[in-house]
């Protein structure tokens, strides 16, 4: 009986340790760019090395909205349960008269910080912008 009590006490102590850190507090949010549909399509066409016609790109993405893109830094919890900071982007369609659906895009493994969505220099950033210009609020954690 002492062993069982000791095990439960140990489990409780460990679980209490891991929930001490809070998550979710936004530390900083900063608008970094506003892009019109024309500017977005121009960026796509500028980096289009696959020879896809601009007309097809416009048809596929059907741009409707200007996009405001924000970089957000927030508190979260690391795998060991300690408080840490993380970042990501939020892309918002401007001028929508309806409630915009929310989409989260989680990219694959990246090896350099410059590839993160919040750096706005990689294709990972464009995914959020493309979804937002069609009416979605797009969240992309780094």
């Amino acid at each position: 009986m002492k062993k069982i009590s000791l095990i439960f006490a140990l489990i409780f102590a460990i679980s209490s340790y891991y929930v001490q850190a809070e998550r979710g507090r936004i530390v900083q949010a900063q608008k970094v760019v506003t892009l019109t549909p024309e500017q977005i399509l121009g960026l796509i066409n500028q980096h289009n090395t696959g020879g896809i016609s601009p007309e097809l790109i416009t048809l596929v993405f059907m741009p409707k909205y200007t996009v405001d893109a924000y970089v957000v830094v927030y508190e979260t919890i690391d795998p060991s349960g300690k408080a840490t900071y993380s970042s990501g982007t939020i892309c918002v369609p401007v001028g929508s008269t309806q409630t915009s659906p929310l989409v989260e895009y989680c990219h694959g493994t990246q090896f350099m910080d410059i590839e993160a969505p919040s750096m706005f220099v990689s294709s990972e950033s464009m995914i959020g912008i493309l979804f937002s210009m069609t009416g979605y609020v797009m969240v992309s954690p780094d």
Side-chain angles (χ1 to χ4, degrees):
M1 186 64 148
K2 282 185 177 181
K3 283 185 180 180
I4 293 174
S5 298
L6 183 59
I7 290 171
F8 279 121
L10 185 60
I11 290 171
F12 179 75
I14 290 170
S15 66
S16 297
Y17 171 77
Y18 282 109
V19 290
Q20 287 176 357
E22 300 272 335
R23 68 173 82 204
R25 184 176 75 85
I26 295 176
V27 176
Q28 180 183 14
Q30 179 179 1
K31 183 171 22 171
V32 292
V33 69
T34 297
L35 295 168
T36 65
E38 294 77 21
Q39 290 171 316
I40 297 166
L41 289 172
L43 286 171
I44 294 168
N45 289 322
Q46 180 182 350
H47 298 288
N48 178 12
T49 58
I52 302 169
S53 74
E55 295 80 17
L56 180 59
I57 290 171
T58 303
L59 179 65
V60 169
F61 292 110
M62 296 184 298
K64 296 178 187 173
Y65 302 103
T66 294
V67 175
D68 283 342
Y70 298 83
V71 172
V72 179
V73 177
Y74 56 95
E75 286 183 343
T76 190
I77 299 172
D78 71 11
S80 65
K82 295 187 174 115
T84 189
Y85 296 104
S86 192
S87 58
T89 62
I90 299 176
C91 296
V92 181
V94 177
S96 176
T97 57
Q98 304 175 43
T99 301
S100 297
L102 178 68
V103 175
E104 178 183 17
Y105 171 69
C106 296
H107 59 78
T109 301
Q110 296 174 328
F111 299 100
M112 297 186 306
D113 289 343
I114 195 75
E115 297 173 335
S118 65
M119 299 306 287
F120 286 98
V121 295
S122 70
S123 59
E124 302 295 349
S125 306
M126 282 305 295
I127 292 169
I129 291 168
L130 291 172
F131 269 86
S132 288
M133 77 175 191
T134 62
Y136 293 89
V137 172
M138 190 71 173
V139 179
S140 304
D142 286 343

